[in-house]
Amino acid sequence: MKSGHSNFAESTEEKKPLTEDEKKEQMKKLEERLKEKRKEREAREKEEELEREKIRIRSGKEMAAAKKKLEDENIKKIMDERKREKQEEKIARDRVKAQIEADKLARKKLYGQVSVEEQPKQVLPIAVSPQKQTKDYTETKLQIRLTNGQTIVQTFNVKEMMAAVRVYIELNRSDGDAPFCLMTSFPRKVFTSDDYEKPLDQLGLVPSAVLILTKPQQ
């Protein structure tokens, strides 16, 4: 239905073209907006890269820890195995030694058993080899075996000269008054005239010894 008006104004206005300054202003705003977007993207990418690096470091540490744990377990396993092998070797050696000793004992019983009555009686002289004493003795006990088989025992001060022992023998012997020399059988030693001027401890006759009377050497 027509309104009856012959003239009426346009309902919309026609847009005016932008001036050069307006175009420049809009371009400037667009560039600034793009620049902000680029900064945001770069910041986001940097943050993502940092997070990925953290994950790599964490994964690397976890992998290193797992590797070290595995190595420690392997080392412990190897050490335990070696310890077990050494124990088994020791048990085997002890078993062999025990078997050897048992075999020796069996052979002795089979071939070397001698009754007490059949064993020859043997008196082993006791003598101390000349050496530095490990203990500070003040006295020594001497067993003196005479030429007739009898024995006299006397205690002397370790600083007594060997000549004092000879004098004691001459005064207390029961096998006559024949000339004699003194000796030890283990180790074998015949005392000389120089030895009679030495103290007993220097001659190794401490803390005890056996002296044997023998005929003078020709």
Side-chain angles (χ1 to χ4, degrees):
M1 181 177 179
K2 294 183 179 180
S3 61
H5 295 286
S6 58
N7 295 322
F8 56 89
E10 294 291 334
S11 59
T12 59
E13 294 182 356
E14 186 179 353
K15 288 184 178 181
K16 296 180 180 180
L18 296 175
T19 64
E20 289 298 325
D21 292 337
E22 289 175 341
K23 289 180 180 179
K24 290 180 180 180
E25 184 66 23
Q26 286 190 359
M27 286 296 295
K28 184 178 180 181
K29 289 181 180 180
L30 181 60
E31 289 177 356
E32 289 178 353
R33 192 178 298 115
L34 292 174
K35 188 181 293 185
E36 289 294 329
K37 293 287 185 181
R38 186 166 56 251
K39 287 182 179 180
E40 291 176 1
R41 186 181 70 253
E42 290 176 353
R44 185 171 60 254
E45 290 176 352
K46 186 175 182 180
E47 185 176 351
E48 291 175 354
E49 179 63 25
L50 183 61
E51 186 64 26
R52 285 194 295 269
E53 183 65 20
K54 288 181 180 179
I55 293 173
R56 282 197 299 270
I57 293 174
R58 185 164 57 249
S59 299
K61 288 182 178 179
E62 291 175 354
M63 186 177 295
K67 184 178 179 181
K68 186 177 185 304
K69 182 180 179 182
L70 182 61
E71 290 176 351
D72 292 343
E73 290 177 353
N74 289 336
I75 291 173
K76 185 177 183 301
K77 184 177 180 181
I78 293 173
M79 292 179 66
D80 291 342
E81 184 68 19
R82 288 180 179 175
K83 184 177 180 181
R84 183 183 62 79
E85 290 176 355
K86 287 182 178 180
Q87 289 177 345
E88 291 178 353
E89 289 176 359
K90 183 178 183 301
I91 292 173
R93 286 197 302 268
D94 292 342
R95 188 182 297 115
V96 171
K97 288 181 180 179
Q99 185 62 44
I100 292 173
E101 292 299 324
D103 292 343
K104 287 182 179 179
L105 183 60
R107 285 196 297 271
K108 286 181 180 179
K109 289 182 178 180
L110 182 61
Y111 300 109
Q113 187 175 14
V114 181
S115 64
V116 176
E117 292 78 8
E118 294 174 342
Q119 291 180 357
K121 294 183 179 180
Q122 183 178 5
V123 179
L124 296 177
I126 303 173
V128 179
S129 60
Q131 59 183 354
K132 185 177 180 180
Q133 302 298 321
T134 58
K135 183 178 178 181
D136 293 329
Y137 293 98
T138 58
E139 293 182 340
T140 181
K141 185 176 182 180
L142 298 182
Q143 298 182 38
I144 304 165
R145 189 174 303 165
L146 305 176
T147 57
N148 60 1
Q150 294 183 357
T151 300
I152 54 177
V153 180
Q154 181 62 27
T155 300
F156 294 86
N157 188 288
V158 296
K159 297 301 180 183
E160 286 277 4
M161 299 297 173
M162 187 65 170
V165 177
R166 184 179 181 88
V167 172
Y168 174 82
I169 295 172
E170 291 175 348
L171 295 175
N172 294 276
R173 62 187 300 193
S174 60
D175 60 341
D177 56 356
F180 65 92
C181 290
L182 291 174
M183 64 170 288
T184 57
S185 60
F186 185 78
R188 181 176 178 81
K189 174 179 173 60
V190 178
F191 295 96
T192 65
S193 57
D194 292 335
D195 293 327
Y196 289 103
E197 301 301 320
K198 297 178 182 179
L200 300 177
D201 56 352
Q202 288 187 13
L203 296 173
L205 301 175
V206 177
S208 64
V210 174
L211 296 176
I212 302 172
L213 273 68
T214 62
K215 294 181 179 180
Q217 295 180 350
Q218 299 296 329

